[in-house]
Amino acid sequence: MVSEVNKRATRQLAAVYQALQGDHSHPSADEVYQRVRRTLPRISLGTVYRNLQRLVTEGKIRMFLLGERIARYDPMVAEHDHFICQRCGRVEDVLLERNRQVNLAPLVNQGFTVTAHSLAIHGLCQKCGRVRPHRAGARRVPKGPDGRGESTAVSPQKGEEVWGVDRKQRKLRSAEELNKQT
Amino acid sequence: MVSEVNKRATRQLAAVYQALQGDHSHPSADEVYQRVRRTLPRISLGTVYRNLQRLVTEGKIRMFLLGERIARYDPMVAEHDHFICQRCGRVEDVLLERNRQVNLAPLVNQGFTVTAHSLAIHGLCQKCGRVRPHRAGARRVPKGPDGRGESTAVSPQKGEEVWGVDRKQRKLRSAEELNKQT
DNA sequence: ATGATTGCAAAACGTTTGCACACCT
DNA sequence: AGGTGTGCAAACGTTTTGCAATCAT
């Protein structure tokens, strides 16, 4: 009623959709763009974005932001969880049988409406887990070769000691105090 | 050995750190900036970013990207999960007693190294859940008033039918076919 | 003194948008 | 014909970075 306007089907829309089918590698918009370009060399990145967005709001694909700043897209499939590699940034689907049965009742009782939930598991993927990473460039979250650095709520890197912060509000006497325990 | 360089303690670093202590509202870098500015009016946004980054790699604070493209920061605290409101984008800490006991053994057996996991629950927070949202602007993920639009792997909006995609690879005959079921 | 850290401004990055033109229906 | 969707390029918001000046050690 309000405005189910005449959506049109175009070559570009189909190509974008097609590029995602059967693909669970969570391509970014740009990766989709590169793919679609092979079929439609004149398509623009903007169009890819527009069509991805359209497919998302139509519920035909899924978009998520998971520990990185770039959006990734997925064909619609059954619920699953995600493993995010801290080193290479790769996101893999994982199926953990038992964890779907999370008890959300407490939330609902507090007035939340829950529409979805997904578990993000952080760590090192099979490839990255093998390499022992020279514990050198630990200062800076790397960004070059492996593409992505940080991930969602990464726990302290092994080898970096966590600061002994006590949980309650705490005032620093001086700037020095902050540095002391590093 | 390699390069545990002389890190220095500065007023700015302390202020950035201090701005987060006892704050569980998940401020963005810019919010931290605004806060710190009250004490150090001449601090620059770049410095805030640099210090936030440093504190993160030192394990003194935590950064996460959760359903939005902007980074949010948190003082280091015990593990908890996150509720992300689809409407207003607010991220709230939640404590779900039973869900910590996820069985990660299958993953570990597959060669993954798990360092952290957190559950992201998507839905409507107490405030947003009350309002019945004019089911009109459902086409476009809103971006104005409520600040954020999309969230991590949001499931199809109520009222939008999901396309009946069959799971296996599928070729479109034509562009039209894509539009048909909308 | 020396070099880590700052402020500033420009660049980078992924994404969105305004426009005139092309194409679908 | 009419208007949705396109290609292009410019704009966007967040984050990063190069530089000379400043400050902690």
Side-chain angles (χ1 to χ4, degrees):
Chain A
M1 249 126 238
V2 181
S3 54
E4 192 42 59
V5 258
N6 316 308
K7 299 271 192 179
R8 287 181 188 175
T10 61
R11 225 157 42 268
Q12 290 88 336
L13 176 66
V16 167
Y17 179 79
Q18 196 57 57
L20 282 168
Q21 285 319 104
D23 176 348
H24 287 209
S25 70
H26 309 278
S28 63
D30 193 70
E31 281 161 357
V32 172
Y33 175 51
Q34 300 305 342
R35 241 173 255 189
V36 172
R37 234 162 171 348
R38 297 203 283 262
T39 320
L40 271 47
R42 296 194 46 79
I43 197 172
S44 78
L45 183 53
T47 297
V48 170
Y49 272 106
R50 276 185 286 236
N51 282 321
L52 283 172
Q53 217 167 257
R54 169 171 165 186
L55 289 167
V56 168
T57 66
E58 287 175 353
K60 288 167 183 168
I61 64 173
R62 176 183 297 241
M63 170 234 241
F64 53 92
L65 270 344
L66 210 60
E68 345 175 67
R69 207 150 22 262
I70 72 187
R72 300 195 166 273
Y73 301 85
D74 224 18
M76 268 320 230
V77 289
E79 289 292 327
H80 58 258
D81 298 311
H82 291 112
F83 180 92
I84 301 119
C85 182
Q86 293 173 3
R87 185 114 52 223
C88 67
R90 194 175 304 288
V91 179
E92 303 195 25
D93 293 342
V94 293
L95 287 169
L96 293 171
E97 298 82 31
R98 42 198 343 269
N99 84 299
R100 288 257 139 250
Q101 58 205 16
V102 182
N103 180 15
L104 298 167
L107 278 181
V108 175
N109 291 339
Q110 285 172 57
F112 290 91
T113 308
V114 174
T115 62
H117 58 97
S118 71
L119 189 68
I121 296 154
H122 301 273
L124 303 174
C125 69
Q126 291 108 326
K127 266 175 209 137
C128 295
R130 272 195 256 295
V131 207
R132 205 74 282 265
H134 271 171
R135 161 113 205 62
R139 268 157 293 111
R140 261 276 175 119
V141 187
K143 191 212 191 157
D146 38 342
R148 294 303 311 110
E150 77 288 344
S151 40
T152 310
V154 175
S155 46
Q157 311 281 327
K158 189 159 285 166
E160 308 246 28
E161 66 283 59
V162 176
W163 211 32
V165 191
D166 40 358
R167 271 73 192 94
K168 49 221 60 158
Q169 182 82 278
R170 179 177 198 241
K171 281 250 147 63
L172 291 180
R173 300 284 201 71
S174 64
E176 273 176 64
E177 199 174 335
L178 218 199
N179 210 29
K180 241 182 341 197
Q181 339 212 5
T182 310
Chain B
M1 243 129 244
V2 180
S3 55
E4 192 41 59
V5 260
N6 316 309
K7 299 271 192 174
R8 290 182 187 175
T10 61
R11 229 161 29 268
Q12 290 87 339
L13 177 65
V16 167
Y17 178 79
Q18 196 56 58
L20 282 168
Q21 286 317 107
D23 177 348
H24 288 209
S25 71
H26 309 278
S28 64
D30 194 70
E31 282 160 356
V32 172
Y33 175 50
Q34 299 305 341
R35 242 174 257 189
V36 172
R37 234 168 181 332
R38 298 203 283 260
T39 320
L40 270 49
R42 294 192 49 80
I43 198 173
S44 78
L45 184 54
T47 298
V48 170
Y49 272 106
R50 277 185 286 235
N51 282 322
L52 284 170
Q53 218 168 258
R54 171 171 163 188
L55 289 166
V56 168
T57 66
E58 287 175 354
K60 289 170 186 167
I61 65 172
R62 173 182 298 239
M63 169 233 240
F64 53 92
L65 272 343
L66 210 61
E68 344 176 67
R69 208 151 24 267
I70 71 186
R72 301 194 166 272
Y73 301 85
D74 226 16
M76 268 320 227
V77 289
E79 290 291 329
H80 57 259
D81 299 311
H82 291 114
F83 180 92
I84 301 117
C85 182
Q86 294 174 2
R87 185 114 50 222
C88 67
R90 193 173 304 287
V91 179
E92 302 196 25
D93 294 342
V94 292
L95 288 169
L96 293 170
E97 298 81 31
R98 34 195 354 270
N99 83 296
R100 289 257 140 249
Q101 56 202 15
V102 180
N103 180 16
L104 299 166
L107 279 181
V108 175
N109 290 339
Q110 285 173 58
F112 290 91
T113 308
V114 174
T115 63
H117 58 95
S118 69
L119 188 67
I121 297 154
H122 301 272
L124 303 175
C125 69
Q126 293 106 325
K127 267 175 209 138
C128 296
R130 272 195 256 293
V131 207
R132 208 75 278 268
H134 270 169
R135 180 152 180 30
R139 268 153 294 111
R140 261 275 174 120
V141 187
K143 193 212 190 157
D146 40 341
R148 295 305 309 111
E150 77 286 349
S151 40
T152 310
V154 175
S155 47
Q157 309 283 327
K158 188 157 285 165
E160 309 247 25
E161 66 281 60
V162 176
W163 212 32
V165 191
D166 39 357
R167 272 74 191 94
K168 50 220 62 152
Q169 182 83 276
R170 177 177 198 242
K171 281 252 148 61
L172 289 180
R173 299 286 200 70
S174 63
E176 273 177 67
E177 199 174 334
L178 217 200
N179 210 29
K180 238 179 348 195
Q181 338 212 6
T182 309

